[in-house]
Amino acid sequence: MAIVRRSLALPLLAAFFAVLHRAASAAPAAPSPDTSSFLRCLAADLPPQVLHTNASPSYTSVLESSIKNLLFVAPATPTPVAIVKAAGASHVQAAVRCGARHGVRVRPRSGGHDYEGLSYRALSAARPFAVVDLAALRAVRVDAGRRTAWIGSGATLGELYYAIANRSARLGFPGGVGPTVGVGGHLSGGGFGLLLRKHGLAADHVVDAVIVDAEGRLLDRVAMGEDLFWAIRGGGGGSFGVVLRWKLRLVRVPATVAVFTVHRARNQSATALLARWQRVAPALPRDVFLRAVLQNQDAQFESLYLGPCAGLVAAMAARFPELGVTPRDCVEMAWIESVLYFAFYGAGKPREQLLDRGAGPERYFKAKSDYVSAPVPSHAWESAWRWLLRDGAGLLILDPYGGRMGGVSPSATPFPHRRELFNLQYYGFWFENGTGVAEKHVGWVRGVHREMEPYVSRNPRGAYVNYRDLDLGVNGDDDDGGEGGYEKARAWGEAYFKANFERLAAVKAKVDPHDFFRNEQSIPPLPSSRKGL
Ligand code: FDA
């Protein structure tokens, strides 16, 4: 594999902006899409078994193989003209080059978990696009001695955790909870799980990556340069190129960890516990993670502690005695068993369950997210409980930050929400088809999100890019790449990235000035007319 190498020297900021200015102002318009020529180009450059056009009998099963949200399995959904199920880097490069030549954009798909389906569907049928599916590029190579791993974007978090635990019981990785989540999208958006208070985000532990850029070149960290390397570790997937694989720094885990799950009903003072939780959980020692999940009239408090039960029970007794955790609530296990415990709710599951990539989509869902910077008053929690009584109610998931998160600068990576008390996710789900039922559940998610507005972060109201939410705004169909598109994108861009949004747009203008990697919420190139350039 030939990786293009550039000079190691980082450009000075002024030189960077000068180049950027030239790139943005000199960029010719992207060619208008010529789907027939695109498909002929793919057919000429790819082995037939990796190419699935929408005329192929295999198309639907390949398309749906990793869709997680039934909302986007509908006949009216605009889907790709072709899916390239890449078996090697050259297949991704061919897809990008054919797409760039013939004006057909390519969307990367790793695990297909995007909340809004942006890795495989478009909002509008106006512009044809193709998908490069990376599920087959999922090798995991763990070097336990060096505490690193190379992992293909198409691997799942479950496959990563399984491979690490097979090499060492004393190593782990601070990624998300869902084992079927794709590494490609997860790392692209930051990624957090139960080790975040000790070790920060998944993306904080990326030390190298290999990407196919908008010209179809294969670039590693040195070749892509530090600006692009910064952008791909949290700037959201689908904007800068197709990341093929990542080199991760693994973290040490103790031989024994401790977990508990306790339930407290609303009428058992759950409101007072929540009021206390939001002050306690973000300030606990960083070895303790204690989150809360609210459903119906029940608060479920779940904890992972990096050590034995004695330490966890003592920490709770000292810091949060009101929760009433006793030694009987606590279970000790190896870290990999705790991964299974939180993924599948229960102890004693076989590790191999982590390798199950899941069947087709089984539920409809819609989610939104917030960041909470100051404790929410008790009357607002009471009102949240009332929302949870409504027809169509889903879940509220409260993930505490603090610990290591607070020690990382908000500009160190594109993910800016380092100083928040907790992430609040509003998650609605349902199993029946129909517009009425969908409106009821989506309406609930939007309604409770609206209700919480006075109590969450503001100017801008923050959101987590990996909990993608198109309600925040979308890029238009037009391709002008001008000031208007950038200004419009700030609505959602600054919610996800705050001040980092402009730097992301500057990187985009440098590496993809024609906006080849574009979707409804991809980073637009910073227009050359922006002040300060
Ligand atoms: P998918 O393939 O759909 O890609 C998501 C986005 O990234 C798309 O825009 C896509 O084009 C782009 N992309 C994908 N691969 C790329 C690549 N190789 N290079 C460049 N761009 C690429 N999050 C979290 O932080 N903690 C958690 O615990 C969980 N848990 C969880 C559970 C479940 C069931 C779901 C559905 C989701 C989560 N998430 C999560 C959110 C998850 O992190 C988020 O949806 C990721 O973007 C999913 O990555 P996939 O590769 O699966 O998605």
Side-chain angles (χ1 to χ4, degrees):
M1 173 199 71
I3 291 179
V4 178
R5 297 213 172 258
R6 268 196 224 142
S7 156
L8 264 176
L10 292 181
L12 293 171
L13 206 59
F16 163 62
F17 281 125
V19 170
L20 166 66
H21 195 286
R22 278 200 304 281
S25 48
S32 46
D34 177 352
T35 308
S36 316
S37 301
F38 171 67
L39 294 177
R40 275 198 299 277
C41 181
L42 290 182
D45 289 3
L46 293 171
Q49 67 275 15
V50 308
L51 178 59
H52 308 267
T53 69
N54 52 13
S56 323
S58 52
Y59 177 84
T60 305
S61 67
V62 174
L63 176 68
E64 291 180 9
S65 58
S66 71
I67 293 183
K68 288 293 158 200
N69 194 340
L70 273 172
L71 269 180
F72 311 124
V73 186
T77 303
T79 53
V81 291
I83 305 169
V84 174
K85 198 150 187 338
S90 65
H91 300 160
V92 179
Q93 293 178 282
V96 169
R97 288 190 174 131
C98 288
R101 196 172 310 143
H102 300 292
V104 177
R105 293 195 170 104
V106 161
R107 296 182 185 219
R109 181 169 77 171
S110 292
H113 283 54
D114 190 275
Y115 275 19
E116 298 278 11
L118 296 190
S119 53
Y120 54 84
R121 67 127 189 174
L123 269 194
S124 139
R127 179 134 188 162
F129 69 98
V131 165
V132 172
D133 187 293
L134 302 164
L137 300 182
R138 59 205 247 215
V140 191
R141 268 193 356 251
V142 175
D143 183 336
R146 292 195 167 84
R147 286 199 284 138
T148 58
W150 270 104
I151 183 160
S153 277
T156 62
L157 292 177
E159 289 168 340
L160 171 62
Y161 301 147
Y162 180 88
I164 295 171
N166 266 354
R167 300 306 299 268
S168 167
R170 303 302 300 275
L171 292 175
F173 187 73
V177 180
T180 57
V181 169
V183 161
H186 190 65
L187 292 172
S188 296
F192 66 79
L194 285 84
L195 295 181
L196 106 156
R197 303 196 64 258
K198 176 80 172 183
H199 295 291
L201 299 178
D204 295 342
H205 296 264
V206 173
V207 292
D208 203 343
V210 174
I211 190 170
V212 173
D213 75 356
E215 290 176 35
R217 295 175 305 182
L218 208 52
L219 310 171
D220 67 2
R221 176 174 181 172
V222 171
M224 78 178 83
E226 289 300 305
D227 288 313
L228 180 53
F229 186 63
W230 174 84
I232 61 173
R233 289 172 297 144
S239 288
F240 300 101
V242 183
V243 182
L244 296 184
R245 54 184 180 277
W246 312 75
K247 186 177 183 184
L248 308 177
R249 188 179 50 234
L250 307 180
V251 301
R252 292 187 202 283
V253 291
T256 302
V257 304
V259 304
F260 71 73
T261 301
V262 296
H263 294 264
R264 300 292 181 256
R266 180 183 180 188
N267 63 12
Q268 273 181 309
S269 69
T271 303
L273 289 175
L274 280 176
R276 184 89 187 110
W277 171 88
Q278 58 191 342
R279 295 172 191 276
V280 169
L284 282 166
R286 52 183 68 183
D287 285 340
V288 193
F289 182 87
L290 173 64
R291 73 169 174 173
V293 180
L294 314 189
Q295 186 175 22
N296 301 320
Q297 298 295 283
D298 174 75
Q300 175 171 315
F301 292 91
E302 306 170 357
S303 184
L304 170 71
Y305 175 66
L306 297 171
C309 275
L312 179 53
V313 174
M316 287 298 120
R319 308 289 192 114
F320 199 5
E322 304 88 335
L323 191 56
V325 172
T326 69
R328 277 197 316 279
D329 296 315
C330 190
V331 187
E332 290 180 350
M333 56 185 69
W335 171 75
I336 191 67
E337 288 163 353
S338 77
V339 170
L340 287 153
Y341 175 90
F342 289 105
F344 304 112
Y345 285 104
K349 309 267 167 149
R351 271 187 204 186
E352 282 60 39
Q353 213 166 323
L354 293 173
L355 303 179
D356 184 354
R357 294 177 72 97
E362 57 190 25
R363 60 172 64 182
Y364 301 82
F365 68 89
K366 167 70 193 167
K368 300 178 80 67
S369 63
D370 262 319
Y371 279 96
V372 177
S373 318
V376 172
S378 292
H379 67 84
W381 288 123
E382 281 301 337
S383 135
W385 286 122
R386 287 193 292 276
W387 274 88
L388 286 161
L389 277 175
R390 290 193 182 198
D391 196 17
L395 307 170
L396 301 181
I397 304 168
L398 287 60
D399 281 311
Y401 281 16
R404 172 73 191 136
M405 287 293 274
V408 179
S409 157
S411 61
T413 70
F415 180 98
H417 314 288
R418 301 284 185 169
R419 307 277 150 79
E420 305 292 353
L421 290 180
F422 60 98
N423 176 278
L424 171 55
Q425 184 177 188
Y426 314 85
Y427 182 82
F429 62 100
W430 62 103
F431 299 94
E432 320 82 48
N433 190 11
T435 318
V437 70
E439 277 170 2
K440 182 172 69 185
H441 292 276
V442 174
W444 180 83
V445 172
R446 289 181 177 147
V448 64
H449 178 260
R450 207 165 33 243
E451 180 83 15
M452 293 303 281
E453 183 173 2
Y455 315 111
V456 299
S457 66
R458 59 184 73 173
N459 301 321
R461 183 176 184 177
Y464 175 36
V465 67
N466 264 347
Y467 297 156
R468 178 100 63 192
D469 177 10
L470 295 187
D471 294 352
L472 298 174
V474 294
N475 294 324
D477 280 338
D478 59 312
D479 289 325
D480 67 358
E483 184 83 23
Y486 174 79
E487 285 303 322
K488 197 168 151 211
R490 288 178 60 182
W492 53 264
E494 291 179 358
Y496 292 146
F497 307 114
K498 295 191 181 172
N500 294 331
F501 179 63
E502 182 164 335
R503 181 171 172 201
L504 285 168
V507 175
K508 173 77 174 180
K510 190 169 89 164
V511 303
D512 183 15
H514 307 314
D515 208 6
F516 176 70
F517 291 107
R518 179 183 168 106
N519 63 41
E520 288 73 4
Q521 276 189 349
S522 56
I523 305 291
L526 190 71
S528 51
S529 51
R530 286 285 299 173
K531 285 203 181 99
L533 293 187

